[in-house]
Amino acid sequence: MQKSSRFVFSALCFGFAFLYIPILVLIAFSFNQSAIASVWGGFSLRWYTALFNNEQIIEAALLSLKIAATSATFATILGTMAGLALTQMGRYRGRLVFTGIIAAPLVMPEVITGLSLLLMFVSLQELIGWPVSRGASTITIAHITFSMAYVAVVVQSRLSSMDQSLHEAAMDLGGRPMQVAFDITLPLIAPSMLSGWLLAFTLSLDDLVIASFTSGAGASTLPMVIFSKIKLGVTPDINALATLIIGTVSMGIIIASLIMFRQNKLNKVG
Amino acid sequence: MSDSKPVLTTRYRQPLGDKLWRRFVIGVPYFWLLLFFLAPFAIVFKISFATPIVAQPPFTQLFDFGTDTTHWLLATWDNYRFLTEDNLYWVSYFKSIKIAAISTFICLLVGYPMAYGIARAAPTTRNILLMLVILPFWTSFLLRVYAWMGLLGKNGIVNSLLINIGLIDSPLQMLYTDMAVYLGIVYTYIPFMILPLYATLEKMDTSLHDAAADLGAKPWQTFIDVTLPLSMPGIIAGSLLVFIPAIGEYVIPALLGGLDSLMIGRTLYDEFFVNRDWPLASAVATILLIIVVIPIMLFQRSQQEPE
Amino acid sequence: MNREDSIKAQQQTKPYVAATPWLDPKAKPFIQIKGLSKQFNDFLAVDNVTLDIYKGELFTILGGSGCGKSTLLRMLAGFETPSEGQIIIDGVDMASIPAYDRPINMMFQSYAVFPHMTVEQNIGYGLKKDKLGKAEIATRVKDMLELVQLSELAKRKPHHLSGGQRQRVALARALIKQPKVLLLDEPLAALDKKLREQTQFELMNLQYELGITFVVVTHDQEEAMTLSDRVAVMDAGKFVQTGTPTQVYESPNNCFVADFFGTINLFNATVISTDTTTKTLRAELETTGTQLTASSEAEFAIGTEVIIGVRPEKIIVSQQRPEGDHLTITKGAVEDLAYYGNRSLYKVRSQSGRIIQVSAQNYQRSEALALEWDDKVYLSWDSSCNVVLSE
């Protein structure tokens, strides 16, 4: 027993070192005075200044945030509906196909999703003249499509762990199905919807491949700009950007999980 | 209790409001997925039979009902023929599958003990460890791959460290190699392996281990006989979650791989963006889709089983 | 109006209800279930069930898991659509009425108390859905809280409540809508033993006070016996026997019912003679030579094999041969015994080799056991205790 637990302990240490050392090095070198990646030239915030003066990056970041917020919101609405449709709507025609395609975007290689969506947009444009051009709106639609699957999975797992008699009880007491959804179901799955939204938001903020396919000439998201810069090698201002992103996300996650933790304690009864 | 003749039911008719609500909840996401997820595959399939041209969009129509009535169908197998003739594509497909499979296995080797350790930790520690696994998954994928560029480069940290401690004299070529690709895939996909593994291991009844130990099994025998078979659903789900997207991975081979790191995702991307051959890219995608469709179905089955 | 007054008022206005309406041919059933079936794919959960329940009855549907009792209850509530058949409540066919419009409320097995609402909000939810005025909701919730003794906990969230308190919230929430029928799905299963007994009596009192028809579903035969006016025993989607608790216990129709309610000794017997005027038969018990009489509605040919059931507590163990024409007497040896304090359980092997269970009240105070292993004993019971059973 002793030996095996020591093995497990060292595996955990190794695993977490593997996960975190690259990130920590990246963060450390964002404060590096020197422009050479491996040489420590003293502490400096020069890359942060450079970053905030880079209009292209700021513009791309704002675009990405806009797309992420919009697509996450729609993905949460659609994903929650899909979760409800899969757990609380009983049987209906096409349910099997629905269950089949709802989880597929989770594992579908991005190049396929990206290419197929682009070709879809091109065909739609030929057919009905919409979308007129590709850019922020087509990226948003693409992001809604794949991140709603994530939301649906998160919401679905919460719904199926929920006591099914709760919504039946509400119906028994006179609530119509729609009222029951708003009175009982949605308040109880709100934490899952929030984490679904956050997941969709980060997925959108993070996506390079699908955005590259579905974007037009004008619109460049943050990952697209980063990618075009780092393809050529390491640039310290990207280190600064990475540090900012990682810092913000970590804060967000910690706050969100604290909220979730409290909510879970509250909902244990249900 | 007098007559027990079956009485025909008046069929229950759902009130209109309920029916509309139901249709709305099911119909809207369903329609969205059909339109933007399923239908696009049909279009990819269709365009894979078209001929590339220099135009907007850069491919021909499959049907021409205009002047020449005998040759209305303009579909061609050329793209698929080209795929079989040019070695590049074969090599890419096989290399992708190989890299994805090996990376999945490494993820399993590294991830299993971690998931096990987290599942057996005290509840508070468990939550913290779990968050530490999830945290990188929420931070930018692109930037995490980029972090390795800084570590592995010619002037990177690892090389300068090795030179400083005198292990090597001149920097090793680590970036732009297959090894870097493996490292990148394992690094970015390992949370996908740990989480489902953790989920099955955490649910497992610990008294099963005690029972096995009580019946005389050594720890490693307990592991082989009890833990491993029972965690199979997690192993399957985790492996598929890593394997399937890894096959089509583009960013990692593009940033960390060398010019010979031909993974199919990258080939497809280049075919599309560099050569602007949309029909050929569609054919590449169609074959890739056929390769991943069985693992995807397996994945969906593994998702539905716990019900 | 305080609690006692309201009970008095209700008792005064309560119309006369026959104590046994099911025996009165003129009584109109309140709930009529006609030829009701429910098919799930290839599984027939409820199989052509017909049943009348009368106003004010406390009716229990009893059965093991998967017998179809819950499906039946869910069809009554409107959560499942019957495949065939009809449910009529107070003269209204329920077929086209959705769950939320039925004059029925339900107490769920898990209680299904809304975790994000306070006790008050939980209880008021149904009235709010009926679009009642705020003031009226408030007063009725207040009265109901008093009735179930939860007034102090009105502002609490469910996770601060005990199991028993949650049960009362669920009950109050269902009762406040003054339903014609209250369905209770395993009402006591989630409570511990002590609380269960207390709650049982509370439920019965409440039912009597309010005069609402209760339909209870349970797998616990003891619960069914103590609670109900009538019990229906269900197996494989069908009712095996319907009757008062004493009827189903003392005169079970068949082996399933007999065995479901407590323990019963089953004997094979061969019919020797029958008497059609007194509706009795004489039969030989196994091959022991012991003869017995039993009353039977059905007629049997001489030589027919029948099954005779006798409850363990009806049997008297004695070391001297008892006398009496009305007794059925057989011999055996004590094979096993268990002392429970108030009573003892003997397992006696009869001459035919069958184990007969006897439950004997320890009515004498003695530190020594009345009987020891291998003691030769006589077993006797009143012939009226013999029940002829079908398979």
Side-chain angles (χ1 to χ4, degrees), chain C residues 343-389:
Chain C
R343 65 190 179 96
S344 291
L345 184 73
Y346 301 106
K347 290 189 174 180
V348 177
R349 187 173 291 280
S350 77
Q351 288 160 324
S352 66
R354 184 183 291 276
I355 293 286
I356 304 171
Q357 291 197 50
V358 181
S359 171
Q361 203 67 31
N362 293 326
Y363 51 83
Q364 278 180 324
R365 186 164 171 263
S366 160
E367 282 185 16
L369 291 171
L371 288 170
E372 289 289 349
W373 280 266
D374 295 330
D375 279 357
K376 298 274 180 285
V377 290
Y378 288 96
L379 300 178
S380 60
W381 61 89
D382 198 285
S383 292
S384 65
C385 298
N386 288 319
V387 183
V388 182
L389 298 167

Coordinates of all heavy atoms in Angstrom, one line a residue, chain C residues 343-389:
Chain C
R343 N -42.7 -12.8 22.1 CA -43.2 -14.0 21.5 C -42.0 -14.9 21.1 O -40.8 -14.4 21.2 CB -44.0 -13.7 20.2 CG -43.2 -13.1 19.2 CD -44.0 -12.6 18.0 NE -43.2 -11.9 17.0 CZ -42.7 -12.6 15.9 NH1 -43.1 -13.8 15.7 NH2 -41.9 -12.0 15.1
S344 N -42.3 -16.1 20.8 CA -41.3 -17.0 20.4 C -41.7 -17.6 19.0 O -42.9 -17.8 18.7 CB -41.1 -18.2 21.3 OG -40.5 -17.7 22.5
L345 N -40.7 -17.9 18.2 CA -41.0 -18.5 16.9 C -40.4 -19.9 16.9 O -39.3 -20.1 17.2 CB -40.3 -17.7 15.8 CG -40.6 -18.2 14.4 CD1 -42.0 -17.8 14.0 CD2 -39.6 -17.5 13.4
Y346 N -41.3 -20.9 16.6 CA -40.9 -22.3 16.6 C -41.0 -22.7 15.1 O -41.9 -22.4 14.4 CB -41.8 -23.1 17.4 CG -41.8 -22.7 18.9 CD1 -42.9 -22.1 19.4 CD2 -40.7 -23.0 19.7 CE1 -43.0 -21.7 20.7 CE2 -40.8 -22.6 21.0 CZ -41.9 -21.9 21.5 OH -41.9 -21.5 22.8
K347 N -40.0 -23.5 14.8 CA -40.0 -24.2 13.5 C -40.2 -25.7 13.8 O -39.2 -26.3 14.4 CB -38.8 -24.0 12.6 CG -38.8 -22.5 12.1 CD -37.7 -22.3 11.1 CE -37.8 -20.9 10.6 NZ -36.8 -20.6 9.6
V348 N -41.3 -26.2 13.5 CA -41.6 -27.6 13.9 C -41.7 -28.5 12.7 O -42.3 -28.1 11.7 CB -43.0 -27.7 14.6 CG1 -43.4 -29.1 15.0 CG2 -43.0 -26.8 15.9
R349 N -40.9 -29.6 12.7 CA -40.9 -30.5 11.6 C -42.1 -31.5 11.8 O -42.1 -32.2 12.8 CB -39.6 -31.2 11.4 CG -39.6 -32.0 10.1 CD -38.2 -32.6 9.9 NE -37.2 -31.6 9.6 CZ -37.0 -31.0 8.4 NH1 -37.8 -31.4 7.4 NH2 -36.1 -30.1 8.1
S350 N -43.0 -31.5 10.8 CA -44.2 -32.4 11.0 C -43.8 -33.8 10.5 O -42.7 -34.0 10.0 CB -45.3 -31.9 10.2 OG -45.1 -32.2 8.8
Q351 N -44.7 -34.7 10.7 CA -44.5 -36.1 10.3 C -44.1 -36.2 8.8 O -43.4 -37.1 8.4 CB -45.7 -37.0 10.7 CG -45.8 -37.2 12.1 CD -47.2 -37.6 12.5 OE1 -48.1 -37.1 11.9 NE2 -47.3 -38.5 13.5
S352 N -44.8 -35.4 8.0 CA -44.5 -35.4 6.6 C -43.2 -34.8 6.2 O -42.8 -34.8 5.0 CB -45.7 -34.7 5.8 OG -45.6 -33.4 6.1
G353 N -42.5 -34.2 7.2 CA -41.2 -33.7 6.9 C -41.3 -32.2 6.6 O -40.3 -31.5 6.5
R354 N -42.5 -31.6 6.6 CA -42.6 -30.2 6.3 C -42.3 -29.3 7.6 O -42.7 -29.7 8.7 CB -44.0 -29.9 5.8 CG -44.2 -28.4 5.4 CD -45.7 -28.2 5.0 NE -46.0 -28.9 3.7 CZ -45.8 -28.4 2.5 NH1 -45.2 -27.3 2.4 NH2 -46.1 -29.1 1.5
I355 N -41.7 -28.2 7.3 CA -41.4 -27.3 8.5 C -42.7 -26.4 8.7 O -43.1 -25.8 7.7 CB -40.2 -26.4 8.2 CG1 -38.9 -27.2 8.1 CG2 -40.1 -25.3 9.2 CD1 -38.4 -27.7 9.5
I356 N -43.2 -26.4 9.8 CA -44.3 -25.5 10.2 C -43.9 -24.4 11.1 O -43.3 -24.7 12.1 CB -45.5 -26.4 10.8 CG1 -45.9 -27.5 9.9 CG2 -46.7 -25.5 11.1 CD1 -46.8 -28.5 10.6
Q357 N -44.2 -23.2 10.7 CA -43.8 -22.1 11.6 C -44.9 -21.8 12.5 O -46.1 -21.7 12.1 CB -43.5 -20.9 10.7 CG -42.2 -21.0 9.9 CD -41.8 -19.7 9.4 OE1 -41.6 -18.8 10.2 NE2 -41.5 -19.6 8.1
V358 N -44.5 -21.6 13.8 CA -45.5 -21.2 14.8 C -45.0 -20.0 15.5 O -43.9 -19.9 15.9 CB -45.7 -22.4 15.8 CG1 -46.7 -22.0 16.9 CG2 -46.0 -23.7 15.1
S359 N -45.9 -19.0 15.7 CA -45.6 -17.8 16.4 C -46.4 -17.9 17.7 O -47.6 -17.9 17.7 CB -45.9 -16.6 15.6 OG -45.7 -15.5 16.4
A360 N -45.7 -18.0 18.9 CA -46.4 -18.2 20.1 C -46.2 -17.0 21.0 O -45.0 -16.5 21.2 CB -46.0 -19.4 20.8
Q361 N -47.3 -16.4 21.6 CA -47.2 -15.3 22.5 C -46.6 -15.9 23.8 O -47.0 -16.9 24.3 CB -48.6 -14.8 22.7 CG -48.6 -13.3 23.2 CD -48.1 -12.4 22.1 OE1 -48.2 -12.6 21.0 NE2 -47.5 -11.3 22.6
N362 N -45.6 -15.2 24.4 CA -45.1 -15.7 25.7 C -45.9 -15.1 26.8 O -45.5 -14.2 27.5 CB -43.6 -15.3 25.8 CG -42.8 -16.1 24.8 OD1 -43.1 -17.2 24.5 ND2 -41.7 -15.4 24.3
Y363 N -47.1 -15.7 27.1 CA -48.0 -15.1 28.0 C -47.6 -15.4 29.5 O -48.2 -14.9 30.4 CB -49.4 -15.4 27.7 CG -49.7 -16.8 27.5 CD1 -50.0 -17.7 28.6 CD2 -49.8 -17.4 26.2 CE1 -50.2 -19.0 28.4 CE2 -50.0 -18.7 26.0 CZ -50.2 -19.5 27.1 OH -50.5 -20.9 27.0
Q364 N -46.7 -16.3 29.7 CA -46.3 -16.6 31.0 C -44.9 -16.1 31.2 O -44.0 -16.1 30.3 CB -46.3 -18.1 31.3 CG -47.7 -18.6 31.6 CD -47.8 -20.0 31.9 OE1 -47.1 -20.8 31.2 NE2 -48.6 -20.4 32.8
R365 N -44.6 -15.6 32.4 CA -43.3 -15.1 32.7 C -42.4 -16.3 33.2 O -42.7 -17.0 34.1 CB -43.3 -14.0 33.8 CG -42.1 -13.3 34.1 CD -42.3 -12.1 34.8 NE -41.0 -11.5 35.3 CZ -40.5 -11.7 36.5 NH1 -41.1 -12.4 37.4 NH2 -39.3 -11.2 36.8
S366 N -41.3 -16.5 32.5 CA -40.5 -17.6 32.8 C -39.1 -17.4 32.2 O -38.9 -16.9 31.1 CB -41.1 -18.9 32.2 OG -40.1 -19.9 32.1
E367 N -38.1 -17.7 33.0 CA -36.7 -17.5 32.5 C -36.2 -18.7 31.8 O -35.2 -18.7 31.1 CB -35.8 -17.2 33.7 CG -36.0 -15.7 34.1 CD -35.0 -15.3 35.2 OE1 -34.0 -16.0 35.4 OE2 -35.3 -14.3 35.8
A368 N -36.9 -19.8 31.9 CA -36.5 -21.0 31.1 C -37.4 -21.0 29.9 O -38.5 -20.5 29.9 CB -36.8 -22.3 31.9
L369 N -36.9 -21.6 28.8 CA -37.7 -21.7 27.6 C -38.8 -22.7 27.8 O -38.6 -23.8 28.5 CB -36.8 -22.1 26.4 CG -35.7 -21.1 26.0 CD1 -34.8 -21.7 25.0 CD2 -36.4 -19.9 25.3
A370 N -39.9 -22.4 27.3 CA -41.1 -23.3 27.4 C -40.8 -24.6 26.7 O -41.2 -25.7 27.2 CB -42.3 -22.7 26.9
L371 N -40.1 -24.6 25.6 CA -39.8 -25.8 24.8 C -38.4 -25.8 24.4 O -37.7 -24.7 24.4 CB -40.7 -25.8 23.5 CG -42.2 -26.0 23.6 CD1 -42.9 -25.7 22.3 CD2 -42.4 -27.4 24.1
E372 N -37.8 -27.0 24.2 CA -36.4 -27.1 23.8 C -36.4 -27.8 22.5 O -37.4 -28.3 22.0 CB -35.7 -28.0 24.9 CG -35.4 -27.3 26.2 CD -34.4 -26.1 26.1 OE1 -33.7 -26.0 25.1 OE2 -34.3 -25.4 27.1
W373 N -35.2 -27.8 21.9 CA -35.0 -28.4 20.6 C -35.3 -29.9 20.7 O -35.1 -30.5 21.8 CB -33.5 -28.3 20.2 CG -33.2 -27.0 19.6 CD1 -33.2 -26.6 18.3 CD2 -32.8 -25.8 20.3 NE1 -32.8 -25.3 18.1 CE2 -32.6 -24.8 19.4 CE3 -32.6 -25.5 21.7 CZ2 -32.2 -23.5 19.7 CZ3 -32.2 -24.2 22.0 CH2 -32.0 -23.2 21.1
D374 N -35.9 -30.4 19.7 CA -36.3 -31.8 19.6 C -37.4 -32.3 20.5 O -37.8 -33.4 20.5 CB -35.0 -32.7 19.9 CG -34.0 -32.6 18.8 OD1 -34.4 -32.2 17.7 OD2 -32.8 -32.7 19.1
D375 N -38.0 -31.3 21.2 CA -39.2 -31.7 22.0 C -40.3 -32.2 21.0 O -40.5 -31.6 20.0 CB -39.8 -30.5 22.8 CG -39.0 -30.3 24.1 OD1 -38.1 -31.1 24.3 OD2 -39.3 -29.3 24.8
K376 N -41.0 -33.2 21.4 CA -42.1 -33.7 20.6 C -43.3 -32.8 21.0 O -43.6 -32.7 22.2 CB -42.4 -35.2 20.9 CG -41.3 -36.1 20.5 CD -41.4 -36.5 19.1 CE -40.2 -37.4 18.7 NZ -38.9 -36.7 18.5
V377 N -44.0 -32.3 20.0 CA -45.1 -31.4 20.3 C -46.4 -31.7 19.5 O -46.3 -32.3 18.4 CB -44.8 -29.9 20.1 CG1 -43.8 -29.5 21.2 CG2 -44.2 -29.7 18.7
Y378 N -47.5 -31.2 20.0 CA -48.7 -31.2 19.2 C -49.0 -29.8 18.7 O -48.8 -28.9 19.4 CB -49.9 -31.7 20.0 CG -49.9 -33.2 20.4 CD1 -49.3 -33.6 21.5 CD2 -50.4 -34.1 19.4 CE1 -49.3 -35.0 21.8 CE2 -50.3 -35.4 19.7 CZ -49.8 -35.9 20.9 OH -49.7 -37.2 21.2
L379 N -49.4 -29.7 17.4 CA -49.8 -28.4 16.9 C -51.2 -28.5 16.6 O -51.7 -29.4 16.0 CB -49.0 -28.2 15.6 CG -47.5 -28.2 15.6 CD1 -46.9 -27.9 14.2 CD2 -47.0 -27.1 16.6
S380 N -51.9 -27.4 17.1 CA -53.4 -27.5 16.8 C -53.8 -26.1 16.5 O -53.2 -25.1 16.9 CB -54.1 -27.9 18.1 OG -53.8 -27.1 19.2
W381 N -54.9 -26.0 15.7 CA -55.5 -24.7 15.4 C -57.0 -24.9 15.1 O -57.4 -26.0 14.7 CB -54.7 -24.0 14.3 CG -54.7 -24.8 13.0 CD1 -55.6 -24.7 12.0 CD2 -53.7 -25.7 12.5 NE1 -55.2 -25.5 10.9 CE2 -54.1 -26.1 11.2 CE3 -52.5 -26.2 13.1 CZ2 -53.3 -27.0 10.5 CZ3 -51.8 -27.1 12.4 CH2 -52.1 -27.5 11.1
D382 N -57.7 -23.8 15.3 CA -59.1 -23.9 15.0 C -59.3 -24.1 13.5 O -58.6 -23.4 12.7 CB -59.7 -22.5 15.4 CG -61.2 -22.7 15.6 OD1 -61.9 -22.7 14.5 OD2 -61.7 -22.7 16.7
S383 N -60.2 -25.0 13.2 CA -60.4 -25.3 11.7 C -60.8 -24.1 10.9 O -60.6 -24.0 9.7 CB -61.4 -26.4 11.6 OG -60.9 -27.6 12.1
S384 N -61.4 -23.1 11.6 CA -61.8 -21.9 10.8 C -60.6 -21.1 10.3 O -60.7 -20.2 9.5 CB -62.6 -20.9 11.7 OG -61.8 -20.5 12.8
C385 N -59.4 -21.5 10.8 CA -58.2 -20.8 10.4 C -57.6 -21.4 9.1 O -56.7 -20.8 8.5 CB -57.1 -20.9 11.4 SG -57.6 -20.1 13.0
N386 N -58.2 -22.5 8.7 CA -57.8 -23.1 7.4 C -58.3 -22.3 6.2 O -59.5 -22.0 6.1 CB -58.3 -24.5 7.3 CG -57.6 -25.5 8.2 OD1 -56.3 -25.4 8.4 ND2 -58.3 -26.3 8.9
V387 N -57.4 -21.9 5.3 CA -57.8 -21.1 4.2 C -57.4 -21.9 2.9 O -56.3 -22.4 2.8 CB -57.1 -19.8 4.1 CG1 -57.6 -19.0 2.9 CG2 -57.4 -19.0 5.4
V388 N -58.4 -22.1 2.1 CA -58.1 -22.8 0.8 C -57.6 -21.8 -0.2 O -58.2 -20.8 -0.4 CB -59.4 -23.5 0.2 CG1 -59.0 -24.3 -1.0 CG2 -59.9 -24.5 1.3
L389 N -56.4 -22.1 -0.8 CA -55.8 -21.1 -1.6 C -55.6 -21.6 -3.0 O -55.4 -22.8 -3.2 CB -54.4 -20.7 -1.1 CG -54.3 -20.1 0.3 CD1 -52.9 -20.1 0.8 CD2 -54.8 -18.7 0.2

